Amino acid sequence: MDADVKDVSLAGKGRERIEWAEGEMPVLRLIRERFEKERPLEGVRIGACLHVTTETANLMVTLKAGGADVALCASNPLSTQDDVAAALSEAGVPTQAIKGEDNETYFRHINAVLDTRPQVTMDDGCDMVNVIHRDRPDQLDSVFGGTEETTTGVIRLRAMAADSALKYPVVSVNDADTKHLFDNRFGTGQSTIDAIMRSTNLLLAGRNVVVCGYGMCGRGVASRARGMGAQVIVTEVDPLPALEAAMEGYRVMPLLEAARIGDVFVTVTGDKAVIRSEHMQVMKDGAVMANSGHFDVEIDKTALASLAVSTRRIREFVDEYTLADGRRLHLLGEGRLVNLAAAEGHPAAVMDMSFANQALSVEWVVQHHAELGPQVYPVPPDIDAEVARLKLRAMGVDIDTLTEEQEEYLQSWQEGT
Ligand SMILES: NC(=O)c1ccc[n+]([C@@H]2O[C@H](COP(=O)([O-])OP(=O)(O)OC[C@H]3O[C@@H](n4cnc5c(N)ncnc54)[C@H](O)[C@@H]3O)[C@@H](O)[C@H]2O)c1
């Protein structure tokens, strides 16, 4: 496959930034060193549809070190780092990704990767799995299996499996504890706030920040916004996370109420049409809306456009919509995941764990595909535990071990008062 990147001359800059991220990814480095010796992926063709970032670049290099032939495209039209795409292509990972590509180019790039007839697919949002099942079913027989990175993708895969539409096994990397408890929370939390600050330069202290959805990502965004001095309001549809948010000290209320007082809104639900026309109609002048959920459907962009009498791009990644009464509402990163569109995505130290799970899950699929059915599989618990153990070791953190007496005690039912 040929590369299709914005500008090959950016490769040098990309190389340096990939090297910088590598310094924060010690677990992936250990896996790469083992892969170099053992070559567990020798000759395996991998098609990856992931955010093209410095961290993904290190994952690609790890898979290649294991002997795989890898081709990469973007999992979102706005998340590509063009210098990384250039550097990867130069380093022998043909990459088809250009930041800001239109929908047609986005799907052309996915199809170009599928032209390499991958035996393993790696997805972030399930678009590659969708395209191969819908448009290229003749290729399904040659696929061993796949991996999926994010909550939204796993929801789509489970729906496919329930309809018997899924034709090969996929490992739900998102469900590993060492993924969603860290990446979704600490990664999305920090990088979403980073993106809002980079794109707007707003002072968050003293502002009302409304977080829609208090799942793993919402917990992270809410806690980091509070850390910046914001007054955080949470909206939810599920009583359990809503209760947790209330006990964490956040104000919890319906979005229609929050819409009147919020300064900054962040959606992280995995749902659609969360912020709708009725909410926009009561928002304050200057309100800022950002989405960090997977698809650009959480904020109803069509409703926003039809409410507006004029629009302009007032800053990079900030679109200003002026309503008939003169109020101005701002949408960041075109409503696409803001942390990747307007910042750099998760810090490498957290992607280290997510991508360690990815690399080890690919190895597991290659080793076990003959025994697996067309279902969604969890990351094997020993892989999850190994990633946590390696990360602690890399951080120089030691923990205690159970004494024999404690092991016995924890397994017995006879001892008590
Ligand atoms: N930006 C990133 O880098 C990044 C990273 C990880 C995950 N994600 C994406 O973020 C989204 C959320 O992921 P998660 O792991 O937090 O999911 P989650 O399932 O843990 O949490 C989602 C929460 O949103 C709530 N919700 C659903 N509809 C709602 C509505 N209309 N109003 C208010 N709350 C609503 C749910 O009750 C749930 O508590 C997914 O799309 C996921 O793919 C993005």
Side-chain angles (χ1 to χ4, degrees):
M1 182 184 94
D2 289 336
D4 186 16
V5 300
K6 184 165 183 198
D7 181 357
V8 283
S9 74
L10 297 172
K13 182 179 162 218
R15 253 195 326 272
E16 283 166 5
R17 293 203 315 112
I18 293 167
E19 189 187 324
W20 175 261
E22 200 264 350
E24 287 283 294
M25 303 184 87
V27 178
L28 202 58
R29 189 183 320 132
L30 288 171
I31 294 170
R32 192 186 69 220
E33 284 163 9
R34 176 172 70 76
F35 275 15
E36 269 160 5
K37 284 193 216 108
E38 298 177 7
R39 306 277 289 176
L41 308 177
E42 193 68 65
V44 175
R45 294 186 305 278
I46 297 179
C49 178
L50 299 169
H51 300 300
V52 180
T53 63
T54 53
E55 295 78 20
T56 299
N58 280 296
L59 173 60
M60 297 298 109
V61 169
T62 304
L63 299 172
K64 261 184 82 80
D69 289 325
V70 196
L72 173 67
C73 62
S75 57
N76 185 293
L78 258 193
S79 63
T80 298
Q81 297 170 3
D82 289 317
D83 55 344
V84 171
L88 270 174
S89 297
E90 200 189 66
V93 178
T95 300
Q96 297 234 344
I98 298 172
K99 186 170 177 119
E101 62 196 13
D102 59 20
N103 257 20
E104 194 197 321
T105 313
Y106 176 74
F107 283 104
R108 180 163 49 77
H109 285 163
I110 290 182
N111 276 298
V113 170
L114 288 175
D115 287 345
T116 66
R117 302 193 73 80
Q119 293 159 303
V120 175
T121 61
M122 301 178 77
D123 247 320
D124 187 330
C126 195
D127 279 345
M128 180 169 277
V129 165
N130 250 349
V131 172
I132 196 171
H133 279 74
R134 194 186 55 216
D135 302 337
R136 313 180 59 139
D138 55 302
Q139 274 183 238
L140 289 166
D141 276 352
S142 54
V143 181
F144 299 159
T147 61
E148 170 54 54
E149 171 76 6
T150 197
T151 314
T152 286
V154 174
I155 291 170
R156 295 172 93 191
L157 285 166
R158 292 226 162 91
M160 285 178 80
D163 278 352
S164 305
L166 186 65
K167 299 298 179 203
Y168 58 79
V170 182
V171 179
S172 157
V173 170
N174 183 70
D175 291 343
D177 285 342
T178 46
K179 198 280 182 182
H180 68 268
L181 294 178
F182 298 87
D183 166 320
N184 300 31
R185 185 159 44 145
F186 301 110
T188 312
Q190 177 171 316
S191 58
T192 300
I193 300 299
D194 176 22
I196 293 169
M197 288 173 21
R198 280 194 208 196
S199 53
T200 63
N201 200 24
L202 279 185
L203 179 71
L204 292 179
R207 288 255 161 74
N208 288 331
V209 172
V210 180
V211 180
C212 304
Y214 196 69
M216 291 321 302
C217 294
R219 286 177 178 88
V221 175
S223 94
R224 269 39 188 167
R226 175 152 72 183
M228 296 301 295
Q231 317 228 7
V232 177
I233 297 167
V234 168
T235 73
E236 251 298 340
V237 290
D238 183 334
L240 207 70
L243 180 61
E244 188 187 334
M247 293 215 183
E248 276 294 341
Y250 301 116
R251 294 172 72 193
V252 179
M253 62 181 77
L255 182 55
L256 201 52
E257 246 173 80
R260 295 174 199 281
I261 52 177
D263 298 298
V264 177
F265 296 81
V266 184
T267 52
V268 258
T269 67
D271 197 356
K272 72 184 285 198
V274 177
I275 303 188
R276 299 182 295 273
S277 178
E278 69 243 47
H279 307 115
M280 296 165 189
Q281 281 173 20
V282 298
M283 282 182 187
K284 296 196 292 195
D285 179 36
V288 168
M289 290 175 272
N291 167 53
S292 227
H294 189 77
F295 287 118
D296 62 340
V297 295
E298 303 211 10
I299 300 169
D300 188 345
K301 295 196 279 187
T302 315
L304 183 57
S306 61
L307 283 177
V309 290
S310 68
T311 60
R312 62 173 170 156
R313 180 146 297 175
I314 186 161
R315 279 170 71 101
E316 204 185 2
F317 307 120
V318 184
D319 290 329
E320 180 186 81
Y321 291 76
T322 303
L323 310 195
D325 61 6
R327 275 177 305 131
R328 293 152 308 161
L329 304 184
H330 299 114
L331 180 66
L332 305 190
E334 298 172 17
R336 298 192 187 278
L337 341 100
V338 73
N339 60 334
L340 282 138
E344 291 175 67
H346 294 352
V350 87
M351 293 314 292
D352 190 26
M353 291 194 281
S354 307
F355 284 169
N357 277 297
Q358 282 280 10
L360 296 178
S361 294
V362 168
E363 181 185 29
W364 185 79
V365 165
V366 169
Q367 283 167 350
H368 295 278
H369 67 95
E371 308 130 44
L372 304 176
Q375 291 159 33
V376 180
Y377 286 87
V379 171
D382 54 332
I383 290 184
D384 215 349
E386 173 75 353
V387 171
R389 202 178 55 75
L390 291 176
K391 188 70 178 175
L392 280 174
R393 199 173 85 193
M395 291 167 78
V397 176
D398 284 329
I399 58 171
D400 288 324
T401 40
L402 292 170
T403 63
E404 258 177 50
E405 187 193 3
Q406 287 167 336
E407 286 214 33
E408 252 172 57
Y409 174 72
L410 291 172
Q411 282 164 25
S412 76
W413 53 271
Q414 288 98 339
E415 268 193 71
T417 44

